[in-house]
Amino acid sequence: MNATLAVLMRELRLALRSGGGAGLGLAFFLIVVMLIPFGVGPVPHLLAQIAPGTLWIAALLACLLSLDRLFQADFEDGTLDILALSPMPLEGLVAIKAFAHWLTTGLPLVIAAPILGITLSLPDTAYWWLVISLAVGTPALSFLGAIGAALTVGIRRGGLLLSLLVLPLYIPTLIFGARCVAAASEGMDVVPAFQFLAGVTLFTLALTPIAAAAALRMHMR
Amino acid sequence: MSLNVSNLACFRTGRLIFSNQSFVIEAGEAVMLRGPNGAGKSTLLRALAGMLPSEGSVILNGIALDKDVDGVQEQIAFSGHLDAIKPQLTVGENLTFWARLFEGGSVDNAVDQFALAEIWDRPAHACSAGQKRRLGLARLVVSGRVLWLLDEPTVSLDTETTARFADIIKAHCAGGGMALIATHIELGLEGARVIALDPTNMRTATPSSDPFLSEAWE
């Protein structure tokens, strides 16, 4: 427990200090969503219609932005070798790192999303579901991203390759997350889409640490 | 307590780095690993730590590397070319993190031995190469592990710190620990046994255990 907390606190510290990139995803999210009304035009009913999809796609891309550093920084300075020798299993380490990534990248998006919903004139009924769907869906983004980050560790400028590997895996989360918000804004039943969204997240949380740890082991050999 | 290595061989990308390495390190012993550049000193250390695939047998305190990698790794402290230090954290935060993760030896002890008190609150990016190396080596003490695998540990250390580090290795061995040290300099460990790696014994074309690489070099 002590070791788990030590790793988590260290990850948060590194993300929040200079060069950690914790604010990067949030700033990107804000700017991309702010650009949409300029490109589409100030037509409230049109913006309201595309708001759920726009917010979710922007959240996906914002999450990707800082993922390539998840293991790369530790690999470059030799920390990964030492972590592999530590008493903590690599699977646990991956899970803590992905959770810390969500705390510093996903959680700020969840908090900022309702404010951005206003700029896209999202209907009143959808705000709660926007927050809930992002809160439930974004952990899957960080954990799926951990697989991509583990596979591309050691590759120079692996960020682009990471995006190509990970974005297709984000599709189920995107479909059900955006569907949740859209259903809420159209006054339809939200529950089926939400159940699928939560299911995808639970599946991801359970399996990705094992997959990412296997990829890391392969790299260290 | 001992490290038994017999017939160890290591391949990298289908090329034989070394073979037929057999030696024993008993508790309380520090052994020097010598050889010219490219002889495979770093590869040997990484193979012993289970960080590279190898053939042959490595048994540390009765636990075989090929049966239980975790069991062997949990007795090893490794120091490589990289210091594994986060520049954004202070010296103290770096060292405390490793101490909490490994739940091993005492931080105060390591701070004394490597004279880290004066730079405790300094961000690691503001430290000199020698100070970073001291911090990296202090991790060995806080890890509380039996076998130290050291790859050129004295790089960028001054003569005084090098001498002090030799004393720290002696103290570690006096407490029943073991150390295998790849180095080009005289560390000042009198009477330490030497294992020499000779690159001239290497054959170039060799069978590989990796099916993807078989015939890759023909």
Side-chain angles (χ1 to χ4, degrees):
Chain A
M1 198 61 220
N2 195 3
T4 308
L5 209 60
V7 177
L8 183 63
M9 292 313 290
R10 170 172 172 278
E11 287 300 315
L12 295 180
R13 251 190 215 134
L14 287 172
L16 297 174
R17 292 216 178 140
S18 66
L24 210 63
L26 180 61
F28 180 83
F29 183 61
L30 294 176
I31 288 173
V32 168
V33 178
M34 293 291 198
L35 287 178
I36 300 297
F38 292 116
V40 175
V43 190
H45 71 271
L46 191 60
L47 285 173
Q49 210 175 355
I50 61 168
T54 306
L55 286 165
W56 260 96
I57 290 172
L60 293 192
L61 298 177
C63 248
L64 264 185
L65 217 53
S66 52
L67 267 177
D68 62 324
R69 299 303 291 166
L70 193 62
F71 300 115
Q72 189 71 18
D74 282 345
F75 175 77
E76 282 166 5
D77 64 17
T79 306
L80 208 52
D81 286 339
I82 311 301
L83 290 173
L85 295 180
S86 78
M88 180 174 288
L90 216 47
E91 286 80 5
L93 190 85
V94 169
I96 299 168
K97 283 180 84 80
F99 178 62
H101 179 266
W102 178 75
L103 281 181
T104 53
T105 308
L107 192 60
L109 302 185
V110 176
I111 296 164
I115 303 158
L116 290 172
I118 300 171
T119 67
L120 296 178
S121 45
L122 191 71
D124 296 344
T125 48
Y127 281 90
W128 272 116
W129 281 106
L130 175 66
V131 173
I132 293 168
S133 71
L134 279 172
V136 170
T138 46
L141 305 181
S142 292
F143 275 74
L144 281 171
I147 298 182
L151 283 171
T152 56
V153 76
I155 299 174
R156 290 215 173 270
R157 308 197 55 77
L160 185 64
L161 184 60
L162 172 91
S163 314
L164 294 178
L165 285 172
V166 165
L167 277 175
L169 299 176
Y170 282 178
I171 292 173
T173 299
L174 172 64
I175 292 174
F176 297 118
R179 189 61 220 146
C180 256
V181 186
S185 64
E186 290 158 12
M188 288 157 66
D189 188 8
V190 181
V191 176
F194 179 75
Q195 281 174 335
F196 273 110
L197 178 71
V200 169
T201 300
L202 290 174
F203 179 74
T204 309
L205 295 186
L207 289 186
T208 52
I210 298 166
L216 282 178
R217 280 203 189 95
M218 210 170 62
H219 262 285
M220 277 186 275
R221 304 225 133 205
Chain B
M1 293 229 284
S2 65
L3 172 69
N4 286 282
V5 177
S6 56
N7 283 323
L8 190 69
C10 199
F11 296 90
R12 271 182 129 165
T13 56
R15 200 167 62 86
L16 180 70
I17 305 294
F18 58 79
S19 63
N20 273 327
Q21 289 299 320
S22 302
F23 54 87
V24 177
I25 302 179
E26 299 289 346
E29 212 178 1
V31 176
M32 315 295 274
L33 185 60
R34 293 206 194 271
N37 294 140
K41 300 187 293 297
S42 303
T43 306
L44 176 62
L45 292 178
R46 293 184 73 85
L48 290 180
M51 294 193 283
L52 281 177
S54 59
E55 289 165 19
S57 109
V58 175
I59 298 169
L60 179 56
N61 295 339
I63 301 173
L65 182 66
D66 52 351
K67 299 268 170 16
D68 183 4
V69 179
D70 291 333
V72 171
Q73 286 186 332
E74 283 178 16
Q75 302 180 66
I76 288 178
F78 176 79
S79 166
H81 298 287
L82 299 163
D83 288 323
I85 287 168
K86 288 291 170 197
Q88 302 98 314
L89 302 181
T90 67
V91 169
E93 285 168 340
N94 269 300
L95 191 62
T96 323
F97 166 69
W98 291 119
R100 285 177 69 190
L101 183 66
F102 281 95
E103 293 167 344
S106 118
V107 175
D108 296 338
N109 206 357
V111 170
D112 280 348
Q113 286 177 320
F114 288 91
L116 294 174
E118 67 210 49
I119 54 169
W120 185 255
D121 288 322
R122 191 179 297 180
H125 64 77
C127 290
S128 75
Q131 287 169 330
K132 279 185 199 158
R133 175 90 337 192
R134 256 153 62 192
L135 171 56
L137 292 174
R139 193 189 62 239
L140 299 169
V141 175
V142 299
S143 68
R145 297 282 170 91
V146 179
L147 175 62
W148 288 4
L149 298 176
L150 310 175
D151 195 358
E152 299 288 353
T154 54
V155 171
S156 57
L157 289 185
D158 56 32
T159 42
E160 189 195 337
T161 316
T162 305
R164 199 184 306 144
F165 182 56
D167 291 338
I168 293 165
I169 295 176
K170 281 180 205 157
H172 171 66
C173 292
M178 296 174 268
L180 182 58
I181 310 148
T183 180
H184 293 291
I185 65 154
E186 280 308 321
L187 249 180
L189 295 169
E190 303 82 8
R193 204 147 51 82
V194 173
I195 295 170
L197 282 178
D198 186 359
T200 56
N201 289 344
M202 287 194 306
R203 294 162 291 146
T204 40
T206 48
S208 167
S209 57
D210 189 338
F212 292 104
L213 287 170
S214 61
E215 299 180 4
W217 309 106
E218 262 73 26

